[in-house]
Amino acid sequence: MDICQQRDGEVRKTVAKVCDIEAAKGVTREGVEAVKTVLIELAKKKELFPLSDSPIVSNADGNGVIYRLSEDDDHHLRFALYASVGMLGKGVRPHNHTTWAVIAGVSGDELNRFYERTDDKSVEGQGKLNQFGEEAVQHGTGVSFLPDDIHSIHVEGDEKTVHLHMYGLALEQLHKRVMYNQEEGRYKTFPASQNIKAL
């Protein structure tokens, strides 16, 4: 059995477990923490996600690429799993997901910073954040988020990163995510990601 077949088999097992967890625990903190445990177990199988299988192939890719590993068979795009690849300088401003999300580390360090809204949400387009923590996601660790949780991503080392990202709904369907500009105290809705490749 080649590595692609092995990876596909392990991904299928992981997704099945995640579906069972959501059915049993719902979209709760307990549920996403349970999903994190399962996703970390997959990410620990580092040999299934070699760096050579996830290139950043052109300048058009910028400093990161997302590879689709799985989505549900009926094309409702639920329980979507990706390998996210980043280079030095990759960064994503503070944002929410509008669905649950879990990240688990395969290779390299991806710094996640966590925020909470501190304004009263009374003015459309304006939002102030307070950072209350951070965690470097690396091989064998992970972070989990409920739909309204806010985080930012920073790749600050000189090593290419590969991390597993799993969502309750596929990235292409997340049309109402909000991204914050901390310096200006503003936020805006940003479009669903389309820079997704097949692995």
Side-chain angles (χ1 to χ4, degrees):
M1 184 183 300
D2 67 20
I3 192 169
C4 292
Q5 292 173 314
Q6 293 179 51
R7 180 171 59 228
D8 289 347
E10 292 299 322
V11 164
R12 281 194 298 272
K13 292 177 188 176
T14 298
V15 173
K17 291 178 183 176
V18 170
C19 292
D20 289 344
I21 289 169
E22 191 192 79
K25 299 181 182 295
V27 182
T28 61
R29 190 69 65 189
E30 180 186 9
V32 294
E33 282 294 301
V35 170
K36 182 178 78 172
T37 298
V38 169
L39 198 62
I40 286 172
E41 288 306 308
L42 177 61
K44 284 181 178 178
K45 297 177 172 70
K46 195 172 183 176
E47 70 279 3
L48 298 180
F49 306 96
L51 296 174
S52 59
D53 278 8
S54 51
I56 296 178
V57 295
S58 72
N59 290 334
D61 290 332
N63 55 14
V65 179
I66 299 172
Y67 289 92
R68 181 183 295 104
L69 297 174
S70 178
E71 61 190 31
D72 67 339
D73 292 335
D74 63 4
H75 303 294
H76 290 158
L77 302 177
R78 296 219 57 227
F79 303 107
L81 177 61
Y82 307 92
S84 178
V85 184
M87 299 294 285
L88 173 63
K90 176 187 176 183
V92 182
R93 286 181 179 268
H95 61 282
N96 66 2
H97 298 101
T98 68
T99 187
W100 62 259
V102 175
I103 301 171
V106 177
S107 302
D109 292 352
E110 177 185 277
L111 180 64
N112 280 251
R113 294 182 175 138
F114 314 123
Y115 306 85
E116 58 187 357
R117 285 279 297 267
T118 58
D119 63 291
D120 63 8
K121 303 180 183 180
S122 61
V123 180
E124 185 73 21
Q126 293 185 15
K128 295 182 180 179
L129 299 179
N130 176 59
Q131 182 186 335
F132 65 85
E134 64 181 38
E135 183 173 346
V137 177
Q138 51 198 204
H139 186 237
T141 69
V143 291
S144 63
F145 303 98
L146 291 175
D148 291 329
D149 289 345
I150 302 167
H151 79 130
S152 60
I153 291 174
H154 313 266
V155 177
E156 298 175 337
D158 56 5
E159 182 183 359
K160 179 180 174 182
T161 63
V162 179
H163 288 72
L164 303 182
H165 288 224
M166 189 161 194
Y167 302 90
L169 188 64
L171 286 172
E172 299 96 322
Q173 302 299 310
L174 302 183
H175 301 292
K176 296 183 179 179
R177 289 181 298 172
V178 169
M179 183 174 288
Y180 294 83
N181 184 319
Q182 291 172 275
E183 294 77 17
E184 297 179 2
R186 301 187 64 81
Y187 68 84
K188 63 180 180 179
T189 301
F190 65 107
S193 178
Q194 302 300 322
N195 183 30
I196 299 172
K197 302 179 184 294
L199 186 63

